[in-house]
Amino acid sequence: MINYNKTFEDALRAVRSEGRYRVFADLERICGKFPQAMYHDDKGIREVTVWCSNDYLGMGQLPEVTDAMKAAVDKVGAGAGGTRNIAGTTHFHVQLEAELADLHDKEAALLFTSGYVGNEATLSSLARLLPGCVILSDELNHASMIAGIREGRSAKLVWRHNDIEHLETLLKELPLDKPKVIAFESVYSMDGDIAPVAAICDLAEKYNAFTYLDEVHAVGLYGHKGGGIAQRDGVSDRIDVVEGTLGKAFGVMGGYIAGSAALIDAVRSYASGFIFTTALSPVLVGGALASVQYLKQAHGLRAAHQERAAKLKEMMRQQGIPVMPSVSHIVPVLVGDPVQCKRVSDLLLDVHDLYVQPINYPTVPKGTERLRLTPTPMHTDEHLQKLVSTLDEVWASLKLKRAA
Ligand SMILES: *Cc1c(COP(=O)(O)O)cnc(C)c1O
């Protein structure tokens, strides 16, 4: 007899013994009181401050967004009722795709049920649409990009993270007439560093390559209308495909790509992960539409977001908390050990009502376990002070390493 459950239990024991068993925090966000949430555990329910949400601007609770969702559900009902091809394309989908194309100054855009699906479906289709192509992938690319590249079964070369010299070395060895896709991200979500987008575009031009940029952690947050880092850096027209999410800064759910009309039509026609699934709920699409439109104008909110992140980094530096060298809104703090990292997170939550999830392997390399803090415009000076003084206390009590 095969004991299937024992096999599963053994697999879980392995994860536990490495200190990377994941425990989900059971939360009820309090609409209108961002970043506060009710936390449920076996001791009961209490209010905590959330420090690790990807709802970077609190858009998920903005009345303009929630009202649009209520209006959509009242107008057209809960679900799309089909795949995009069979009865599931609502007018909301058509409007949002037009809005997203405009956000990135591209000819067209295409929605997916998530950013993960967008990356997987698009990269796997690109590999098939470009026979004989080579995909050059940054070594820190997201799991969804890696999955799409693998599924496409093209040749793949991995370049050292943000290392354009290494990228050029690899490009140089490929025939100029061979199709090449350079796949990378703008803001890397665990370190908060940013790709040299313009320099990568220079190489793409020189070596006749196609550029695929995941702007998931930048859309809504950077650029004059929230189009991301390529927009901020004035190189949108040199990026062939921008991939984004509606689930992070836009505060709702869903993913998308934007690019040329031909590329979008080809992915629409070939990508399994786009074709064979029910279209996003019009309620989500209506909310995302309101959010994208709102953020196109919300320069003050974007500036406030950057100010909060800069201030938090500065306050932590002054206390010797080892904040990692991020150049974005992401504030990672190095712990460097999975068990200690979990312990810090547990202490913050259990004793101080501060919620920040530990980030362990395989999300980040072993030895670089960290807390990943995401301050938002809704985190006040008091929130910042309480966090920093608490971290100081926890660092002392656990005798953790300080910054030099
Ligand atoms: C979160 C994430 C995705 C996936 O987006 P979802 O909409 O959450 O599925 C893609 N790429 C990167 C870099 C991400 O961090």
Side-chain angles (χ1 to χ4, degrees):
M1 287 279 280
I2 304 173
N3 188 339
Y4 290 100
N5 272 330
K6 181 177 179 303
T7 312
F8 302 143
E9 281 155 12
D10 288 346
L12 287 168
R13 225 180 327 273
V15 172
R16 276 207 184 83
S17 73
E18 288 169 38
R20 54 185 185 90
Y21 179 73
R22 292 174 174 198
V23 181
F24 295 162
D26 178 352
L27 299 167
E28 265 178 286
R29 298 171 71 193
I30 310 166
C31 193
K33 222 176 152 187
F34 194 96
Q36 302 302 106
M38 300 312 291
Y39 171 71
H40 295 245
D41 67 6
D42 47 15
K43 294 193 273 307
I45 313 172
R46 62 205 157 81
E47 189 174 325
V48 300
T49 303
V50 178
W51 273 104
C52 54
S53 173
N54 282 337
D55 188 354
Y56 291 125
L57 302 173
M59 293 299 285
Q61 298 184 3
L62 192 80
E64 282 83 342
V65 173
T66 53
D67 287 348
M69 296 179 78
K70 289 175 202 162
V73 75
D74 286 341
K75 194 170 175 196
V76 301
T83 63
R84 288 294 299 274
N85 189 44
I86 307 175
T89 295
T90 74
H91 190 57
F92 287 110
H93 293 79
V94 176
Q95 282 178 288
L96 181 54
E97 285 175 342
E99 192 67 48
L100 291 167
D102 177 76
L103 175 66
H104 295 287
D105 299 304
K106 296 291 178 199
E107 289 171 0
L110 193 68
L111 287 169
F112 297 88
T113 43
S114 72
Y116 187 103
V117 173
N119 270 331
E120 191 183 36
T122 307
L123 282 164
S124 62
S125 307
L126 273 179
R128 268 180 258 122
L129 288 162
L130 301 167
C133 82
V134 178
I135 300 188
L136 296 107
S137 176
D138 184 287
E139 70 177 330
L140 291 191
N141 275 344
H142 190 256
S144 56
M145 298 171 80
I146 296 167
I149 295 168
R150 191 175 301 143
E151 197 185 318
R153 295 199 192 88
S154 64
K156 166 181 165 178
L157 296 171
V158 176
W159 44 293
R160 284 194 294 273
H161 177 55
N162 278 349
D163 183 341
I164 53 168
E165 277 171 33
H166 188 218
L167 175 60
E168 181 156 26
T169 307
L170 297 177
L171 283 166
K172 237 184 225 162
E173 310 208 325
L174 298 168
L176 207 57
D177 61 355
K178 195 172 185 55
K180 304 164 210 70
V181 177
I182 303 176
F184 63 115
E185 300 179 24
S186 57
V187 176
Y188 284 84
S189 72
M190 293 301 150
D191 292 309
D193 57 340
I194 296 180
V197 180
I200 292 168
C201 292
D202 290 343
L203 289 180
E205 247 151 65
K206 186 170 168 192
Y207 294 98
N208 203 12
F210 188 89
T211 46
Y212 183 102
L213 179 58
D214 175 322
E215 291 249 38
V216 160
H217 290 278
V219 291
L221 304 176
Y222 297 87
H224 67 91
K225 51 182 172 179
I229 295 294
Q231 186 171 84
R232 181 196 74 176
D233 293 355
V235 294
S236 294
D237 58 327
R238 303 173 74 196
I239 296 294
D240 294 304
V241 187
V242 180
E243 191 269 349
T245 185
L246 303 166
K248 291 173 183 170
F250 292 121
V252 188
M253 189 185 182
Y256 67 91
I257 56 169
S260 72
L263 174 273
I264 296 299
D265 207 13
V267 174
R268 188 184 72 89
S269 307
Y270 280 81
S272 187
F274 173 81
I275 298 169
F276 298 104
T277 190
T278 300
L280 275 173
S281 160
V283 179
L284 298 172
V285 178
L289 181 61
S291 184
V292 173
Q293 286 170 341
Y294 183 93
L295 282 188
K296 276 186 173 168
Q297 322 286 339
H299 316 297
L301 198 57
R302 272 190 282 281
H305 183 220
Q306 294 299 318
E307 184 276 331
R308 291 285 84 182
K311 175 142 190 195
L312 178 59
K313 288 177 198 168
E314 182 51 36
M315 288 167 70
M316 292 204 294
R317 267 184 213 116
Q318 281 176 10
Q319 288 298 320
I321 308 292
V323 52
M324 296 167 72
S326 150
V327 292
S328 68
H329 59 281
I330 292 160
V331 183
V333 175
L334 184 68
V335 181
D337 174 84
V339 177
Q340 291 286 48
C341 195
K342 174 85 170 73
R343 195 167 293 156
V344 173
S345 166
D346 287 346
L347 271 177
L348 289 175
L349 186 58
D350 296 341
V351 183
H352 303 280
D353 298 334
L354 300 173
Y355 170 50
V356 52
Q357 191 69 20
I359 307 283
N360 288 346
Y361 177 84
T363 307
V364 296
K366 288 181 181 171
T368 71
E369 291 80 5
R370 68 197 68 175
L371 304 175
R372 174 183 180 272
L373 300 161
T374 51
T376 71
M378 290 80 204
H379 286 88
T380 62
D381 282 340
E382 291 77 65
H383 282 126
L384 266 58
Q385 274 148 16
K386 177 175 171 187
L387 175 73
V388 174
S389 63
T390 307
L391 283 176
D392 191 41
E393 208 181 300
V394 168
W395 244 252
S397 74
L398 296 180
K399 299 190 171 58
L400 295 173
K401 217 153 88 200
R402 298 265 177 178

